[in-house]
Structures are given as C-alpha cells and as structure tokens.
Amino acid sequence: MTARWRPVLAPAVHLRHDRVRGADLLLLPERVVVLEGSAGAVLRWCDGKREVPEIVRELARRYPGAPVADEVPEFLDRMREEGWLR
C-alpha cells in the first residue's frame, strides 16, 4: 500500500447504517455488504483527504490497545482489491 494513498469510497459505493440490523452496510450496484465489527468506523475516515497513516493514527488514538497499525492498512488494501475503495 502506498503511504500517500488517500482512500475514498468508489463512486458507486455508499456507506450506510442500518438501524434495524444494527450494522453498517456498503450499498453497491445490485449488492449489499454487511460490515462487521469496526469496519464502518474505519471506512468513515476514508474521505479522500486523509492519507492512510493519518487514518491509522486517529483510529489508534480513539481505540487504544487495538491493533490498528497492522489491521487497518490490510483491511483498506482488501477493500481496494474488491474495488470498493479507490
């Protein structure tokens, strides 16, 4: 992953919270992905303005002790591979 990458949701992808399910969702053309755990919280920081290290620092500050330095970049890479982030 490029440290200078500023992740943002792909144009056809929308992040929404479903109050009925109590879960965050990615709405894609003809598909809905139910996100688990803190995935929605991570994706909310992906606004195209912040670089990955900044997102990791902020999440580490908000969730002390969580393994964000290892897990968040890997998660963002997977989301990019799926085509959900650019």
Side-chain angles (χ1 to χ4, degrees), residues 43-56:
L43 291 175
R44 282 187 179 81
W45 285 94
C46 297
D47 58 6
K49 298 175 186 173
R50 297 175 181 93
E51 293 177 353
V52 173
E54 183 181 353
I55 293 169
V56 169

Side-chain angles (χ1 to χ4, degrees), residues 8-54:
V8 65
L9 290 175
V13 178
H14 302 281
L15 176 62
R16 297 287 184 267
H17 183 75
D18 182 348
R19 290 186 298 176
V20 174
R21 290 184 177 132
D24 290 314
L25 310 172
L26 282 182
L27 305 177
L28 306 135
E30 301 182 23
R31 184 173 176 194
V32 174
V33 176
V34 179
L35 299 172
E36 296 181 4
S38 59
V42 172
L43 291 175
R44 282 187 179 81
W45 285 94
C46 297
D47 58 6
K49 298 175 186 173
R50 297 175 181 93
E51 293 177 353
V52 173
E54 183 181 353

